[in-house]
Amino acid sequence: MEKDLQNKIGHIIREKFHIDDFTPELIPTKKGFEGDITLPVFPLVKQLRRNPEEIAEIIGETLIRSEAYIDKYNVVGGFLNLTYTPQYFLEKVKKHALEENFGLNRVDKTQPATMVEYSSPNTNKPLHLGHIRNNLLGYSISEIIKATGKPVIKTQIINDRGIHICKSMLAWQKFGHGETPETTGIKGDHLVGKYYVEFDKHYRKQVAELTEKGMPEAQAKKEAPLMKEAQAMLRKWEEGDPETRQLWEMMNRWVLEGFAETYKELGVDFDVEYFESDTYLLGKKIVEKGLEKGIFYRKEDGSVWVDLTDEGLDEKLLLRADGTSVYITQDLGTAVKRFAEFDIDTLIYVVGNEQDYHFKVLFAILKKLGYSWAEKLYHLSYGMVELPHGKMKSREGTVVDADDLMKEMTETAGKISEELGKLEGFDEEEKKSLYIIIGIAALKYYILKVDPKKGILFDPKKSIDFNGNTGPFLQYAYVRIRSILNKAGEFEPDWNKSTVLDEREKSLIKALLRFPEVLALSAEGLNPAILANYIYDIVKKYNVLYQNLPILQAEESQRNLRLALSLWTGNVIRNGLKLLGIDVPDKM
Ligand code: ARG
């Protein structure tokens, strides 16, 4: 954090102890000790054969004499705790408070990019709650990485071919009576999803009929006429049968138009899209090549496999006996295509933890095939999101639909806002857009504040609580800061040299200064929760100040300082939330 101080200390160690190759590590002073920043001297003890207190004393003594911004020091064991002068902090406020984009870096386009794949749905049904977590994580991690200066390419793989899509297509053909999104007014992805459910209904019936006649269930599932028809349809698709392709294109278009609306409402976007139908053939070719090289092997029935037992994994099917490709086949093609088409040095797959094994296998295969970039693949695996039982059911009955959930959030935001009755002066349009901003923020923040690895129990009511660690609470804090600044009008970020710094001000300044470091940590850890909880911490610190110290009524020098701090805090809240995909309203 403190490069300058680090250099100074390095210099002292060279001068006083004649050690050249030592890089001092500075850490924030531990709670309960006096100081702002601490140097642990243990690493020097062995080389110098002196006791740690003595070493720390010498460094502290020298710093105090040579550095005007070090106020005092104390030594506890092998720790040298340093306290900055108030002036040091006041200078930082002057420097950063007016920076609109404090802590944000411009993207350095000369660097290779990080590619982030997220959402990546199948085209047989609409997006659900799981996709929402996926989208929010992928989007915010992309934005956070960009804010640290690295280029990012946001992408998806759209799994637009395969047996699942054929099921929807077949059911539509049989039971759809030519329905379209236009004739029914149903959003395209939901219409296709309806037929996926329809397929399942009829299929189950057939399976039940067969088992009643005495057929074992596993066999019945294979023999059911609808399943056979769906498989025949998939073969026809792979052969390029024009009628099948036409139906497929039409229904895929419906779905993709529906997805586009959902993405828009959720505020996420993509720079480039990959379609499984464009990459699976390349995947097949890669499998053939691996087969020739003896990396894969063919079983008697003609299916192709890879043996990963050496890596502690299983044997894995790569191509079925009938030559059709499986889920992982396209992933081989897609990865190769991505690294060929873009200057990327990292590819992050944001996918739920139920696919942990899939990605282990995928990465192992790509390594076996000898791709140098196979080391640069990363699976950002996240936990499930569940709802308190019985709270909300989707149209299709099993999972929570993304569109329904967003609508519900907006409605709840509206209800709560009206109950609180803070909306005088808002016209209907403004109210509507405010409810969306609040409702979506509640949803996003509730999900993003949790470590990606952990599961979430999503409680819509709790997420909109204006008093907890929630999106709306942070939005409200921002709006209040804006209103203070508006009331204050123009002010000079200037104060007396003698201005004293209250502990609460100092604590806020120290926290604000950490913003760039927090972004770096979130980016490195692929963890937006670090940023989310940091913003909450900033707001709490600001609120302590706001509740205990006068701002507008304070004496001029103090007033200017506190207004500057308010401005800086507001910027960090707004910019931080933006990276989480959360907007702030002007008033609420
Ligand atoms: N479409 C898949 C599913 O819904 C997820 C795709 C994940 N990404 C990948 N490259 N395999 O389960």
Side-chain angles (χ1 to χ4, degrees):
M1 179 165 111
E2 285 306 333
K3 269 268 164 285
D4 187 43
L5 183 58
Q6 210 180 16
N7 290 339
K8 295 268 158 64
I9 294 174
H11 187 71
I12 292 173
I13 291 172
R14 267 195 303 279
E15 295 260 290
K16 300 267 167 190
F17 305 120
H18 313 292
I19 294 180
D20 291 335
D21 56 348
F22 181 75
T23 323
E25 293 297 335
L26 292 165
I27 55 176
T29 303
K30 276 220 192 75
K31 263 210 177 104
F33 292 89
E34 190 191 3
D36 298 315
I37 193 149
T38 292
L39 173 77
V41 298
F42 296 109
L44 289 166
V45 170
K46 228 181 168 178
Q47 279 188 67
L48 291 174
R49 296 169 186 266
R50 284 168 94 156
N51 84 38
E53 280 91 350
E54 209 180 310
I55 301 171
E57 278 292 341
I58 293 172
I59 300 172
E61 190 57 37
T62 316
L63 273 174
I64 276 272
R65 268 187 283 119
S66 62
E67 301 310 320
Y69 57 88
I70 299 292
D71 205 9
K72 46 191 170 176
Y73 74 90
N74 65 80
V75 176
V76 181
F79 294 98
L80 170 62
N81 301 322
L82 300 161
T83 304
Y84 290 118
T85 59
Q87 210 49 44
Y88 168 86
F89 290 107
L90 292 171
E91 284 303 317
K92 294 281 180 195
V93 182
K94 207 174 267 177
K95 179 155 179 233
H96 298 305
L98 302 189
E99 276 179 64
E100 276 281 312
N101 292 326
F102 166 71
L104 308 182
N105 287 290
R106 219 183 264 271
V107 171
D108 171 9
K109 291 203 178 106
T110 61
Q111 280 187 58
T114 295
M115 186 176 264
V116 181
E117 180 205 279
Y118 67 88
S119 187
S120 310
N122 299 338
T123 54
N124 60 322
K125 53 184 175 193
L127 304 176
H128 55 69
L129 181 52
H131 290 112
I132 286 188
R133 186 171 198 187
N134 186 313
N135 273 272
L136 300 182
L137 277 174
Y139 178 84
S140 66
I141 210 60
S142 301
E143 294 302 315
I144 292 168
I145 294 173
K146 275 200 263 180
T148 67
K150 192 153 186 348
V152 170
I153 300 169
K154 293 182 262 187
T155 189
Q156 21 172 1
I157 175 73
I158 297 158
N159 294 115
D160 62 343
R161 47 137 266 130
I163 191 73
H164 43 291
I165 285 100
C166 290
K167 289 177 183 173
S168 298
M169 285 156 61
L170 187 66
W172 184 84
Q173 218 174 33
K174 284 187 175 304
F175 318 115
H177 309 290
E179 272 191 2
T180 70
E182 289 75 38
T183 62
T184 56
I186 300 176
K187 199 164 158 270
D189 49 340
H190 289 282
L191 187 66
V192 173
K194 176 180 152 188
Y195 285 99
Y196 189 66
V197 174
E198 196 70 11
F199 174 92
D200 208 50
K201 216 170 70 193
H202 288 88
Y203 171 60
R204 273 169 205 261
K205 222 162 79 220
Q206 290 182 349
V207 173
E209 278 162 18
L210 290 173
T211 47
E212 258 163 49
K213 283 186 200 145
M215 191 183 278
E217 181 160 333
Q219 192 188 351
K221 280 187 171 161
K222 281 188 199 152
E223 299 285 327
L226 270 174
M227 185 54 84
K228 297 219 133 149
E229 276 181 83
Q231 277 158 353
M233 195 176 229
L234 179 59
R235 278 193 298 275
K236 268 182 155 175
W237 184 91
E238 292 216 1
E239 286 156 15
D241 171 63
E243 207 182 306
T244 312
R245 287 286 176 136
Q246 230 170 32
L247 175 61
W248 171 77
E249 259 160 35
M250 177 179 77
M251 290 181 76
N252 260 331
R253 200 180 59 242
W254 294 348
V255 170
L256 293 178
E257 280 166 7
F259 288 168
E261 264 181 61
T262 308
Y263 288 145
K264 187 156 174 237
E265 210 155 314
L266 202 53
V268 302
D269 54 23
F270 303 93
D271 300 308
V272 54
E273 287 174 334
Y274 287 84
F275 293 86
E276 176 175 345
S277 56
D278 290 333
T279 64
Y280 84 106
L281 288 175
L282 176 59
K284 276 183 160 182
K285 261 198 214 128
I286 294 166
V287 174
E288 303 291 347
K289 263 205 215 132
L291 195 59
E292 282 165 28
K293 288 192 191 156
I295 300 169
F296 306 142
Y297 64 95
R298 203 186 278 282
K299 282 196 179 170
E300 263 177 25
D301 66 355
S303 55
V304 180
W305 296 71
V306 60
D307 184 359
L308 298 170
T309 46
D310 281 353
E311 270 102 315
L313 304 165
D314 281 331
E315 289 172 71
K316 171 85 190 166
L317 174 74
L318 299 176
L319 282 180
R320 291 201 193 88
D322 64 2
T324 56
S325 61
V326 291
Y327 175 46
I328 205 162
T329 324
Q330 52 85 25
D331 259 328
L332 298 172
T334 312
V336 169
K337 207 162 189 280
R338 284 170 172 166
F339 276 90
E341 288 176 351
F342 289 96
D343 181 19
I344 53 178
D345 64 2
T346 315
L347 171 53
I348 298 166
Y349 295 89
V350 185
V351 182
N353 59 12
E354 75 277 9
Q355 296 199 24
D356 284 356
Y357 189 75
H358 170 80
F359 284 99
K360 274 194 195 135
V361 170
L362 176 65
F363 299 167
I365 296 174
L366 288 164
K367 272 179 209 156
K368 254 188 188 308
L369 286 168
Y371 292 104
S372 58
W373 43 259
E375 301 289 339
K376 313 283 182 61
L377 304 171
Y378 188 83
H379 175 202
L380 173 53
S381 161
Y382 61 86
M384 292 274 130
V385 195
E386 278 163 311
L387 283 163
H389 197 68
K391 273 265 165 74
M392 226 185 293
K393 272 239 179 81
S394 83
R395 256 172 276 247
E396 281 88 22
T398 46
V399 287
V400 180
D401 179 79
D403 295 326
D404 287 350
L405 181 61
M406 284 193 277
K407 198 161 150 257
E408 158 109 16
M409 293 303 296
T410 303
E411 284 167 7
T412 312
K415 248 186 255 150
I416 294 183
S417 302
E418 304 220 336
E419 274 165 28
L420 291 174
K422 290 184 183 168
L423 299 170
E424 307 105 53
F426 279 72
D427 63 34
E428 281 314 305
E429 269 313 297
E430 285 174 323
K431 277 189 192 170
K432 232 169 105 190
S433 77
L434 179 67
Y435 298 161
I436 294 174
I437 292 183
I438 297 176
I440 297 295
L443 174 66
K444 290 184 172 178
Y445 188 80
Y446 198 85
I447 288 179
L448 288 174
K449 75 172 176 178
V450 179
D451 187 301
K453 304 232 157 6
K454 292 197 182 131
I456 295 180
L457 190 65
F458 182 71
D459 187 334
K461 274 259 153 54
K462 258 199 201 150
S463 77
I464 301 193
D465 187 345
F466 279 64
N467 292 310
N469 181 6
T470 66
F473 173 72
L474 304 181
Q475 288 176 317
Y476 187 69
Y478 175 79
V479 168
R480 195 165 60 192
I481 287 174
R482 285 311 320 167
S483 111
I484 293 169
L485 290 168
N486 285 342
K487 270 193 211 130
E490 295 271 317
F491 72 95
E492 283 298 320
D494 201 10
W495 31 82
N496 301 334
K497 284 251 182 297
S498 59
T499 298
V500 282
L501 204 51
D502 183 277
E503 268 315 307
R504 289 160 285 201
E505 291 167 331
K506 183 168 151 178
S507 151
L508 176 62
I509 296 168
K510 277 163 84 170
L512 289 167
L513 283 169
R514 284 194 61 231
F515 186 48
E517 180 194 335
V518 166
L519 293 182
L521 287 172
S522 304
E524 259 164 54
L526 304 180
N527 185 356
I530 297 173
L531 172 60
N533 289 291
Y534 165 81
I535 302 170
Y536 180 55
D537 189 51
I538 291 288
V539 166
K540 277 193 299 189
K541 288 198 159 73
Y542 180 84
N543 284 353
V544 168
L545 189 151
Y546 168 85
Q547 280 152 12
N548 293 288
L549 301 171
I551 298 179
L552 292 171
Q553 311 306 332
E555 146 307 293
E556 189 177 345
S557 177
Q558 216 87 46
R559 181 179 186 268
N560 285 344
L561 171 62
R562 291 179 190 154
L563 287 173
L565 275 177
S566 303
L567 184 61
W568 191 5
T569 304
N571 285 344
V572 167
I573 299 174
R574 186 195 58 241
N575 292 338
L577 288 177
K578 185 102 205 126
L579 299 177
L580 299 176
I582 297 173
D583 288 329
V584 285
D586 299 326
K587 47 181 188 168
M588 70 191 273

